[in-house]
Amino acid sequence: GAGVSQSPSNKVTEKGKDVELRCDPISGHTALYWYRQSLGQGLEFLIYFQGNSAPDKSGLPSDRFSAERTGGSVSTLTIQRTQQEDSAVYLCASSSPGQRTNEQYFGPGTRLTVT
Amino acid sequence: AQTVTQSQPEMSVQEAETVTLSCTYDTSESDYYLFWYKQPPSRQMILVIRQEAYKQQNATENRFSVNFQKAAKSFSLKISDSQLGDAAMYFCAYRLNAGGTSYGKLTFGQGTILTVHP
């Protein structure tokens, strides 16, 4: 079956602009995660959605970052007023928490470059 | 808070040889999973192997095996008969199994770049 997909693959934006990154999880996976991979900070957790529960936003670095998940499927990560330090690869993952292993399957990521 | 440390930024190995990547972690929890992920230049994170903290037996997946030392909080990855396709960045990761806000999210180490020489 289809894996996790993300779009766009690459995004170049000017400082101060808003960007939206999209994630399509594996069908039937109720949990969805966003991570950020940057040179300075490594791989860090951003936000986690599980079914209809309130999302865990504890990893969002500032209020310029937000995410939503519509219909329990597709998720959009929005970064407002982008800064150069937002340049990174944004990875999305999904899992089926009904299984104890709760293995996360990752998408190919979106590389964001803020100029 | 849980932390994961990979002290080897880079490692290299000759094709067909064996290499071990190190990982240590810090947690006060008893029920958790540990993972090794591989990230090739394509950026796609691929699960290599996982270990449940309650299982004393070390996990093995073909050429990949772990040495899990729970008391020492150490979780190393051994790659036997290394192949050119094993070249990638390898990440060690921790995940809590209990409920609550930390359920599900992965905490990653800094990564180790593995080079395989022909």
Side-chain angles (χ1 to χ4, degrees), chain A residues 6-25:
Chain A
Q6 293 186 244
S7 60
S9 178
N10 293 281
K11 175 74 175 178
V12 179
T13 190
E14 293 180 352
K15 178 181 173 181
K17 300 285 189 182
D18 297 353
V19 294
E20 288 188 348
L21 312 179
R22 176 187 170 104
C23 172
D24 279 275

Side-chain angles (χ1 to χ4, degrees), chain B residues 5 10 19 30-31 57 59-61 68 74 78 94 107 109 113:
Chain B
T5 302
E10 298 182 28
V19 64
S30 59
D31 188 9
Q57 185 174 4
T60 300
E61 289 287 343
F68 174 47
S74 171
K78 184 171 82 172
Y94 165 100
T107 300
I113 298 173

Side-chain angles (χ1 to χ4, degrees), chain B residues 32 42 85 100 114:
Chain B
Y32 54 87
S42 66
L114 178 66

Side-chain angles (χ1 to χ4, degrees), chain A residues 60-81:
Chain A
L60 294 179
S62 77
D63 58 8
R64 297 186 295 104
F65 288 72
S66 63
E68 63 177 18
R69 189 177 185 192
T70 54
S73 180
V74 172
S75 176
T76 301
L77 177 68
T78 300
I79 308 173
Q80 296 179 311
R81 306 180 301 283

Side-chain angles (χ1 to χ4, degrees), chain B residues 1-106:
Chain B
Q2 294 83 12
T3 59
V4 179
T5 302
Q6 292 178 250
S7 59
Q8 305 156 318
E10 298 182 28
M11 291 286 284
S12 64
V13 64
Q14 291 292 132
E15 197 174 6
E17 296 295 310
T18 296
V19 64
T20 298
L21 308 184
S22 301
C23 172
T24 58
Y25 60 96
D26 188 24
T27 183
S28 57
E29 305 289 342
S30 59
D31 188 9
Y32 54 87
Y33 266 94
L34 295 166
F35 304 87
W36 279 98
Y37 279 90
K38 170 185 176 180
Q39 187 181 42
S42 66
R43 299 197 308 244
Q44 186 81 47
M45 295 281 279
I46 302 165
L47 179 65
V48 174
I49 198 166
R50 59 173 165 255
Q51 174 80 42
E52 186 169 6
Y54 275 126
K55 293 187 177 179
Q56 294 191 357
Q57 185 174 4
N58 289 326
T60 300
E61 289 287 343
N62 300 313
R63 298 182 295 107
F64 299 87
S65 61
V66 299
N67 183 3
F68 174 47
Q69 301 290 327
K70 190 172 183 178
K73 296 180 182 174
S74 171
F75 182 62
S76 61
L77 174 70
K78 184 171 82 172
I79 306 174
S80 303
D81 186 25
S82 297
Q83 300 176 1
L84 295 177
D86 295 334
M89 174 84 90
Y90 286 80
F91 289 95
C92 178
Y94 165 100
R95 196 203 76 217
L96 184 66
N97 272 352
T101 58
S102 54
Y103 176 66
K105 75 177 182 184
L106 294 167

Side-chain angles (χ1 to χ4, degrees), chain A residues 31-36 43-50 55-60 93-95 97 100-104 106, chain B residues 1-4 27 29 31-35 37 92-109:
Chain A
L32 187 147
Y33 313 78
W34 284 98
Y35 296 89
R36 179 170 71 173
L43 254 166
E44 54 182 340
F45 164 78
L46 295 178
I47 187 169
Y48 160 50
F49 296 90
Q50 167 48 34
D56 176 357
K57 304 179 182 180
S58 60
L60 294 179
S94 70
S95 72
R100 178 165 170 80
T101 56
N102 194 10
E103 177 179 339
Q104 294 182 26
F106 284 80
Chain B
Q2 294 83 12
T3 59
V4 179
T27 183
E29 305 289 342
D31 188 9
Y32 54 87
Y33 266 94
L34 295 166
F35 304 87
Y37 279 90
C92 178
Y94 165 100
R95 196 203 76 217
L96 184 66
N97 272 352
T101 58
S102 54
Y103 176 66
K105 75 177 182 184
L106 294 167
T107 300
F108 289 92

